[in-house]
Amino acid sequence: MDTPSETIVSATTPRGEIALRERPDPQGSGVVHELVVAGVFAMDSLDTSTEVALAQEALARVDAPDRVLVGGLGLGFTAWQVLKDKRVRHVDVVEIEEDLVGWARLALAPTLGLVARHPRVTIHAGDVDLVLSGEADPAGPWDLVLLDVDNGPSFLVHEGNERLYRADALQDTLSRVAPRGVLAIWAAQREPALLATLESLSPTEEVLLEVEREGRRLEYALYLTRA
């Protein structure tokens, strides 16, 4: 990146440092916000196409997405896309980093602020793994469960998130999805083992997304499993 990013705010958490940064938009309009987790670039607001696609692809497969769970707040783009669908009556967002939840409520990045103050949203500071196992609130079922908690089982930022992709945890997650609902998982690359595990539990689609960043072609993947 030609222009270095400037840290707006950062915090030390039990999982390492989390930071919200900004840099000038290379197109010359406003700024680009970045989220860095445990020293690893997580996402920015320059290209949010795959976060948006996670919501769009899942919503397209459900007739009545009345209630939606989004695991992982990020910069808010997945939850915001869900809210654009007027069929959705309520969105629960579960984010493990309390500081990020606080930054959203302070609207330190535009989309975070939009999500945090939306009347159809409740943001919960907590571990989505505990929610999906039934050990913590909020309680399901949900018509859609969208998971963008980490990069996928092959490229984890936090090793503890590996449990989310195990067969028993995925079975628990599917039990929180309402009949005819969908579980959708975002991954930073193709995950054949994850696909095989999901297919052993219920019919699953793999959707591949190509994105060009800084002259490189990247391939992301979505996994959509019917309850």
Side-chain angles (χ1 to χ4, degrees):
M1 299 176 185
D2 296 332
T3 306
S5 301
E6 178 180 349
T7 299
I8 303 171
V9 64
S10 65
T12 300
T13 81
R15 289 156 296 281
E17 185 182 63
I18 180 172
L20 183 62
R21 300 177 181 173
E22 67 177 20
R23 68 181 192 273
D25 187 331
Q27 305 301 320
S29 58
V31 298
V32 174
H33 288 92
E34 303 173 354
L35 184 62
V36 178
V37 178
V40 178
F41 172 85
M43 67 174 299
D44 64 22
S45 59
L46 185 62
D47 186 340
T48 61
S49 60
T50 64
E51 289 85 0
V52 169
L54 175 63
Q56 289 177 330
E57 294 287 344
L59 287 163
R61 287 161 173 79
V62 178
D63 294 330
D66 184 70
R67 192 165 180 235
V68 178
L69 172 68
V70 178
L73 176 59
L75 291 175
F77 287 96
T78 296
W80 185 241
Q81 187 64 37
V82 170
L83 289 163
K84 291 180 180 180
D85 191 319
K86 301 305 181 186
R87 298 174 300 165
V88 176
R89 294 179 59 192
H90 188 77
V91 180
D92 288 304
V93 179
V94 180
E95 169 56 51
I96 198 169
E97 301 296 358
E98 291 188 38
D99 295 284
L100 180 55
V101 173
W103 301 342
R105 290 172 177 155
L106 292 171
L108 296 187
T111 306
L112 283 177
L114 289 170
V115 170
R117 65 174 177 261
H118 199 285
R120 287 185 284 143
V121 172
T122 303
I123 300 181
H124 309 263
D127 189 339
V128 74
D129 182 47
L130 297 178
V131 171
L132 294 173
S133 64
E135 300 174 58
D137 291 330
W142 295 272
D143 302 292
L144 288 177
V145 172
L146 311 180
L147 292 185
D148 186 4
V149 175
D150 211 311
N151 290 321
S154 297
F155 181 35
L156 293 168
V157 175
H158 296 304
E159 289 300 321
N161 285 332
E162 181 270 338
R163 65 185 181 273
L164 289 168
Y165 306 103
R166 296 176 187 166
D168 57 345
L170 291 168
Q171 184 65 72
D172 281 345
T173 298
L174 283 169
S175 74
R176 310 293 164 190
V177 182
R180 302 177 64 84
V182 167
L183 164 64
I185 300 175
W186 183 96
Q189 60 192 22
R190 296 186 73 175
E191 296 284 357
L194 175 61
L195 176 58
T197 299
L198 288 167
E199 286 183 324
S200 73
L201 300 174
S202 196
T204 299
E205 298 175 67
E206 180 184 60
V207 176
L208 302 180
L209 306 168
E210 284 196 355
V211 175
E212 184 170 340
R213 289 187 66 97
E214 301 174 20
R216 294 188 302 151
R217 301 292 298 179
L218 304 174
E219 186 176 64
Y220 299 86
L222 307 178
Y223 296 94
L224 301 142
T225 304
R226 294 196 174 275

